[in-house]
Amino acid sequence: MSIFTGAGVALITPMHEDGSINYDEMERIVNDQITNGTDAIIVCGTTGEASTMTHEEHIETIRACVEMTKKRVPVIAGSGSNCTSTAVYLSKEAQKAGADGLLLVSPYYNKATQNGLKQHFTEVAKNVDIPIILYNIQGRTGVNILPKTIADLVKEVDNIVGVKEASGDLSQIATLLSMSQGDIDVYSGNDDQIVPIVALGGKGVISVLSHVAPKDTHDIVAKLMAGDVKGSSELQLKYIPLIKALFSEVNPIPVKAAMNMMGYQAGPLRMPLTEMEEANKKVLRQAMIDAGIKVTA
């Protein structure tokens, strides 16, 4: 069974000006997302700046998100690491905190072999009892999880059930879906590829766009699954300029800027991420306005 179908938001972690986590604003964002149709909350992922959290902050943020969500939608916790023992530890703690599933990025920097990836993910999976979505994003990790590796893991490991595919390679994703014969939940990791991936048999998207357009991001998936290809495609194409602006600098720099423009207290970023350049921020603001999103700051 899928952890979720539709649009899950890859949640930002709002910060106070001193860099500490703003849990009150996080609860406001979670509630607004759920009210506007978001189907799952993905906490402590790339967009959530988990890589600059201490382990204690990481676990507490997962716990807080579970409490805020109150079982209204699934909470999927990022618990990956380039160190297998650390990924095991964070995954076990995420399960204890009440997460409904895990998002495991491939080990970064180490550049493991495909066999190493299989052993890493298998080791983490055997230490927890909740479903796992793998996260394939070679641009950040330096390694591509090949379709056969993913298909084998889904077949051999009961609680590895899906993948967030951010390779951007539609041919690779089609190959994966063909190899797995429908036994894998594939989520688009790129907001500009929701329609083609869902059309191939994907379950939805783990989205940055959902922060600023939660209902429409949900509807891109829902309309397509209901057979409204035209309506879904129109929404996808409407948001292409905004999606481009949201990735004009490394994620989550632009989306935190966008949230601040919308009146949320997203706050600053933790270094080495820095504030968005003014020229890019101007383009982002205009793209938001053109998409009908209210900008208040």
Side-chain angles (χ1 to χ4, degrees):
M1 175 181 284
S2 303
I3 305 176
F4 79 97
T5 298
V9 63
L11 191 70
I12 64 162
T13 302
M15 307 281 186
H16 295 290
E17 287 304 315
D18 64 1
S20 61
I21 297 171
N22 186 342
Y23 289 108
D24 288 340
E25 192 66 0
M26 182 177 169
E27 184 167 20
R28 177 190 173 199
I29 295 168
V30 166
N31 285 333
D32 285 353
Q33 286 290 312
I34 295 172
T35 297
N36 285 284
T38 292
D39 300 289
I41 307 293
I42 294 82
V43 64
C44 289
T46 302
T47 314
E49 298 178 77
S51 59
T52 50
M53 289 182 181
T54 66
H55 290 171
E56 292 78 14
E57 286 177 319
H58 194 139
I59 295 160
E60 179 54 36
T61 301
I62 294 168
R63 184 180 298 112
C65 186
V66 169
E67 292 174 358
M68 294 167 188
T69 305
K70 297 180 174 64
K71 297 294 182 184
R72 289 173 290 173
V73 297
V75 173
I76 300 164
S79 58
S81 173
N82 68 327
C83 171
T84 302
S85 62
T86 300
V88 168
Y89 167 71
L90 291 173
S91 297
K92 290 167 74 173
E93 291 299 317
Q95 179 170 343
K96 289 178 189 175
D100 299 288
L102 303 174
L103 182 69
L104 288 183
V105 70
S106 56
Y108 38 87
Y109 189 78
N110 310 64
K111 297 186 77 171
T113 64
Q114 296 300 306
N115 185 52
L117 292 174
K118 288 181 72 173
Q119 291 188 40
H120 170 83
F121 290 128
T122 301
E123 180 66 21
V124 176
K126 76 181 186 182
N127 278 278
V128 293
D129 299 314
I130 54 178
I132 291 170
I133 298 171
L134 308 179
Y135 183 12
N136 189 29
I137 182 163
Q138 185 176 4
R140 285 192 182 257
T141 66
V143 63
N144 182 24
I145 318 175
L146 295 177
K148 186 177 187 306
T149 301
I150 299 170
D152 287 349
L153 282 164
V154 171
K155 182 179 179 180
E156 295 165 7
V157 184
D158 287 344
N159 57 331
I160 294 179
V161 300
V163 62
K164 176 184 177 182
E165 247 296 349
S167 66
D169 186 340
L170 289 173
S171 178
Q172 174 171 300
I173 295 164
T175 298
L176 169 62
L177 284 158
S178 175
M179 281 184 172
S180 57
Q181 298 180 321
D183 290 335
I184 184 170
D185 295 336
V186 176
Y187 299 94
S188 176
N190 294 317
D191 283 310
D192 59 352
Q193 294 184 335
I194 304 171
V195 167
I197 289 175
V198 172
L200 284 167
K203 295 291 185 179
V205 61
I206 295 178
S207 171
V208 172
L209 178 66
S210 282
H211 286 94
V212 297
K215 184 180 184 301
D216 279 352
T217 310
H218 163 88
D219 284 352
I220 291 171
V221 180
K223 284 178 181 290
L224 188 57
M225 289 190 165
D228 183 4
V229 177
K230 184 174 185 291
S232 175
S233 298
E234 286 175 350
L235 280 176
Q236 173 81 90
L237 295 175
K238 170 187 173 181
Y239 282 104
I240 293 297
L242 178 53
I243 292 165
K244 184 177 180 181
L246 284 169
F247 289 91
S248 59
E249 294 186 27
V250 68
N251 180 46
I253 292 174
V255 71
K256 289 193 91 170
M259 294 292 276
N260 283 323
M261 290 179 202
M262 292 171 68
Y264 289 99
Q265 302 303 309
L269 300 121
R270 286 188 175 178
M271 289 185 69
L273 297 183
T274 53
E275 296 304 311
M276 195 173 192
E277 294 180 13
E278 283 302 320
N280 291 332
K281 190 181 291 186
K282 182 178 179 181
V283 172
L284 173 61
R285 181 180 286 108
Q286 189 60 52
M288 293 169 68
I289 293 168
D290 291 345
I293 294 164
K294 186 176 181 181
V295 174
T296 61

